[in-house]
Amino acid sequence: MELPARAGGKSDKNGESKLKWWQLSLIGVGCTIGTGYFLGSGIGISKTGPSIVISFILAGLTAMIVSELLGKMFIQDPQKGSFRSYAKKAYGRWAGFSSGWVYWFSEMLISGSQLTALSILTRFWFPNIPLWILASIYAILGIIVVLIGTKGFERTENLFAVIKVAAIFMFIILAILVLFGFFGGDKNDFNVPNTTDEIFAKGFIGLWSSLIFGFYAFGGIEIMGILSVRLQQKKEVVKSTTVMLIILTSIYLISIFLASGFVAYNKFNAKESPFALALADYNLAFFPHVFNAGIIIAGFSTMAASLFAVTSMLVTMAEDGDAPKLFAKKGKLKVPPFALVLTISVLVISIVIARLMPDRVYEYITTAAGLMLIYNWFFILISFPKLMKATKFDHVKRYIAMLLIFLAVSGTVLDKNNRMGLFVSIVFIALIIIVVLIMRKRKNKKKNAYPKGI
């Protein structure tokens, strides 16, 4: 099973389509925007108010540094395994193993997060249907997509990416029109914070605890590293990622600023999109329905793509000896059956969690997914000086990014709901460490069981 070419397009004889730098930039924008932004940003606003913009700026800065360093490593040594391969080269097999599994777990958490978000959004039309039933329906649809294969799905991914971006632009345009008096609006309806207390509605602690939601909105930039091998000119990868992040950050900041200005920060929650909530009181009866449908379509594409990615990566890790060989064993289906069973099992766990903790499950999973993603960003930052001749400025940027990642992770301790997500991520990391220690112990008994480095 191959990782889907999320851009669609034609493929060469090796199954890898060749892309121009601007095409990769647009793909990155489409792949990064998900329901974590459309829905999760509302949680961030509720924790800090208008200063959520600062969280997004800091997250965007960190994402740009991480992407630049990953791009430089790619230019010097193109690797299909991207960050996983660089971690392995820098620190040995244990690092490649850990990076791969951290990414697998993060993508599974993203799938669970998207699953829950889709269910929450669907309750806009069907408020009486339990969350876990809707989650089950979307999970079944996602698995069907995996079973059908990648070809048809690849052709629709560009359309899904356009829908995501179009939904944000629709909100921005309508919000601006409301400010100019259309749809029963008025410029006085928009609140521009003028004092420190208004900007930092819950103080520095609120801003600190909201950082993780800014970082989660940029989760997905790793796909740029994975798809960089398809660039026509490998040296253009840094330009491609930089342009992508400038576009993405600009879209995020404008839409978040507008949303937070129309509604009091304490009105935002994890059950409604902040953008639909911002325009709920105006003569835009069509907007909530159209916007909600657009987000659901786009969110489903992200979830399905994540399911493809995790199943494919599991097979690859099994082939490399970083997962049980059982997961690479092929059957009659297009997908290795045991790899598919594991993916389904994790989805079932997400549904059970949604059944047991319906009120806070999305926030828990979103926090955990965001943390697992930036753990891998940290792998990229510490691998860079091992593989590249880093300049003083490179080191300064690395340390800044590490500090911001530390702030995002530590900020989750400050909020009781975020702490649950931190606990979930720690459990996953602990499981990976235990497996690494077992592998090391086996190596000591059979020195030739694994290549040097683990």
Side-chain angles (χ1 to χ4, degrees):
M1 180 180 178
E2 297 176 353
L3 181 65
R6 297 190 184 188
K10 296 180 179 179
S11 300
D12 60 20
K13 62 182 181 180
N14 295 318
E16 295 180 346
S17 52
K18 296 299 179 181
L19 304 169
K20 295 180 180 179
W21 71 266
W22 60 268
Q23 290 176 311
L24 183 59
S25 294
L26 293 178
I27 293 166
V29 170
C31 289
T32 305
I33 298 173
T35 51
Y37 170 69
F38 284 121
L39 194 62
S41 55
I43 305 174
I45 297 173
S46 70
K47 294 184 183 300
T48 188
S51 59
I52 186 65
V53 171
I54 298 175
S55 295
F56 275 82
I57 291 173
L58 295 177
L61 174 63
T62 308
M64 194 165 292
I65 294 171
V66 171
S67 294
E68 180 189 355
L69 300 187
L70 181 59
K72 287 182 177 180
M73 288 190 286
F74 173 78
I75 292 172
Q76 176 179 278
D77 180 23
Q79 291 286 335
K80 288 185 177 180
S82 190
F83 50 87
R84 177 171 169 255
S85 297
Y86 300 133
K88 187 173 183 178
K89 285 193 170 189
Y91 293 99
R93 189 168 179 178
W94 72 267
F97 174 91
S98 301
S99 179
W101 277 105
V102 165
Y103 185 71
W104 187 88
F105 279 127
S106 69
E107 284 292 317
M108 281 308 310
L109 284 170
I110 288 173
S111 296
S113 174
Q114 300 282 2
L115 195 67
T116 306
L118 290 171
S119 304
I120 291 172
L121 292 167
T122 303
R123 290 179 79 177
F124 175 76
W125 295 302
F126 307 102
N128 297 322
I129 298 180
L131 198 67
W132 69 271
I133 292 179
L134 294 172
S136 301
I137 294 172
Y138 282 115
I140 292 171
L141 292 174
I143 294 301
I144 289 174
V145 172
V146 174
L147 288 172
I148 289 174
T150 64
K151 290 184 179 180
F153 183 68
E154 288 176 2
R155 297 190 186 101
T156 63
E157 275 300 300
N158 270 335
L159 175 61
F160 287 142
V162 169
I163 290 174
K164 297 178 188 183
V165 177
I168 296 178
F169 273 110
M170 178 174 66
F171 167 76
I172 292 173
I173 292 171
L174 290 175
I176 292 174
L177 288 174
V178 166
L179 292 177
F180 280 93
F182 292 89
F183 310 115
D186 187 273
K187 63 181 181 180
N188 294 322
D189 294 342
F190 189 81
N191 177 47
V192 179
N194 297 315
T195 66
T196 302
D197 289 341
E198 288 180 336
I199 297 172
F200 300 93
K202 290 194 174 182
F204 177 73
I205 298 299
L207 175 62
W208 194 356
S209 66
S210 74
L211 274 174
I212 189 61
F213 297 99
F215 274 81
Y216 184 56
F218 286 91
I221 61 169
E222 304 83 8
I223 194 66
M224 297 291 282
I226 295 173
L227 291 180
S228 292
V229 293
R230 299 184 179 180
L231 274 174
Q232 293 177 359
Q233 300 292 330
K234 302 294 189 291
K235 64 182 179 181
E236 293 185 328
V237 63
V238 174
K239 177 169 68 173
S240 179
T241 54
T242 301
V243 170
M244 182 272 285
L245 285 168
I246 289 173
I247 294 172
L248 194 66
T249 304
S250 300
I251 292 173
Y252 280 174
L253 293 180
I254 293 171
S255 56
I256 283 290
F257 174 75
L258 288 171
S260 61
F262 277 107
V263 182
Y265 79 92
N266 56 4
K267 299 293 183 181
F268 293 98
N269 56 74
K271 298 179 181 180
E272 299 174 272
S273 168
F275 309 105
L277 192 63
L279 300 181
D281 294 333
Y282 299 98
N283 300 325
L284 292 163
F286 69 93
F287 176 73
H289 298 278
V290 174
F291 191 77
N292 211 50
I295 298 175
I296 288 173
I297 293 171
F300 181 77
S301 79
T302 305
M303 185 195 75
S306 292
L307 292 178
F308 271 113
V310 296
T311 308
S312 178
M313 178 168 280
L314 182 60
V315 174
T316 303
M317 289 194 295
E319 292 171 346
D320 292 343
D322 287 336
K325 294 290 184 183
L326 181 69
F327 294 122
K329 187 177 180 181
K330 296 181 179 179
K332 294 181 180 181
L333 300 173
K334 293 182 179 180
V335 184
F338 293 103
L340 181 63
V341 167
L342 182 59
T343 300
I344 294 173
S345 298
V346 178
L347 286 179
V348 170
I349 292 173
S350 297
I351 294 169
V352 171
I353 293 173
R355 176 69 179 88
L356 297 176
M357 298 185 296
D359 293 333
R360 290 293 179 180
V361 63
Y362 179 70
E363 189 168 346
Y364 296 156
I365 298 176
T366 298
T367 303
L371 288 167
M372 295 293 283
L373 281 172
I374 60 177
Y375 293 159
N376 243 331
W377 288 12
F378 199 83
F379 258 119
I380 294 170
L381 293 171
I382 63 175
S383 297
F384 182 79
K386 284 278 189 176
L387 302 176
M388 300 282 295
K389 186 177 180 180
T391 64
K392 288 184 179 179
F393 189 46
D394 286 332
H395 284 302
V396 169
K397 288 186 288 186
R398 284 178 58 245
Y399 294 139
I400 290 173
M402 287 180 182
L403 174 62
L404 292 173
I405 287 174
F406 172 76
L407 288 174
V409 174
S410 58
T412 61
V413 179
L414 305 174
D415 185 275
K416 63 179 181 179
N417 295 320
N418 287 358
R419 277 198 296 271
M420 177 61 76
L422 175 64
F423 174 74
V424 171
S425 73
I426 290 174
V427 169
F428 283 132
I429 295 297
L431 289 173
I432 293 172
I433 292 174
I434 290 170
V435 174
V436 168
L437 292 175
I438 293 173
M439 292 169 69
R440 280 184 174 274
K441 186 176 180 180
R442 288 184 177 179
K443 182 206 168 185
N444 292 333
K445 291 182 178 180
K446 297 180 180 180
K447 292 184 178 181
N448 297 322
Y450 295 98
K452 185 177 180 181
I454 188 167

